[in-house]
Amino acid sequence: WYQRRVREAVVSTQSTGKPRIVKKRTKKFTRHQSDRYSKLSKSSWRKPKGIDNRVRRRFKGQYLMPSIGYGSNKNTRHLMPDGFLKFVVHNVPDLELLLMQNKKYAAEIAHDVSAKKRKAIVERAQQLNIKVTNWQAKLRSEEDN
């Protein structure tokens, strides 16, 4: 009972508003026989389908297969390490949607937005006190010109 009491005390000191993100697995699942053939990418997972396949049959010492048990906690799923959720923004009116949710969501400017519109989005985000994750993208190259 003492260890449980100590554990509860530690947990209570860690909760500062943002939940602690716990990943059940951080390594990528490697594709079967990707070490044997260079044409197979290590990170592109494919489920083995063979009748005698030892990975599919889950033999000891073989590669692990992804399963639903590796899923993240529902409360911390899609959370960034700083405690915000991403929201992709294409223009200034999209940014207005985050006005009341600026403590929960952070804006991320879409990759196809021009430098001119990016500047307007970043300025408006500062006015609304909204965090923008990629505020410096495409702005540095414009300053050089």
Side-chain angles (χ1 to χ4, degrees):
W1 66 270
Y2 177 74
Q3 286 179 336
R4 187 174 52 208
R5 180 69 58 107
V6 170
R7 203 175 310 128
E8 288 170 4
V10 169
V11 169
S12 65
T13 57
Q14 288 174 345
S15 61
T16 58
K18 69 175 186 180
R20 198 162 132 256
I21 301 169
V22 178
K23 303 279 188 199
K24 293 180 187 165
R25 183 183 169 95
T26 53
K27 284 196 270 181
K28 296 268 188 197
F29 288 97
T30 49
R31 187 173 175 176
H32 181 52
Q33 289 190 339
S34 62
D35 54 340
R36 182 176 288 191
Y37 303 107
S38 60
K39 63 187 173 187
L40 297 180
S41 169
K42 283 200 180 296
S43 60
S44 65
W45 168 255
R46 297 291 185 275
K47 184 173 171 60
K49 300 277 189 357
I51 53 169
D52 292 331
N53 192 287
R54 52 196 187 180
V55 175
R56 182 189 60 77
R57 291 160 69 189
R58 299 200 173 126
F59 283 11
K60 186 166 50 171
Q62 304 305 313
Y63 290 130
L64 294 173
M65 290 198 299
S67 65
I68 199 68
Y70 288 110
S72 298
N73 184 348
K74 203 175 193 180
N75 300 328
T76 60
R77 194 174 299 150
H78 306 300
L79 266 188
M80 295 189 291
D82 58 4
F84 284 98
L85 292 163
K86 274 186 198 172
F87 182 79
V88 180
V89 171
H90 293 272
N91 48 37
V92 177
D94 282 355
L95 203 61
E96 310 287 337
L97 297 170
L98 299 179
L99 181 62
M100 301 300 290
Q101 300 289 332
N102 61 353
K103 296 278 183 252
K104 189 174 183 182
Y105 289 94
E108 180 162 299
I109 305 172
H111 81 282
D112 57 349
V113 177
S114 66
K116 186 172 135 186
K117 279 193 179 173
R118 271 175 195 272
K119 203 169 189 179
I121 289 171
V122 169
E123 286 172 6
R124 184 67 180 140
Q126 284 178 338
Q127 293 169 0
L128 298 175
N129 197 22
I130 296 171
K131 178 178 178 166
V132 180
T133 57
N134 57 345
W135 61 272
Q136 75 279 17
K138 287 193 185 178
L139 292 180
R140 275 177 289 172
S141 60
E142 189 185 73
E143 289 170 3
D144 295 340
N145 295 338

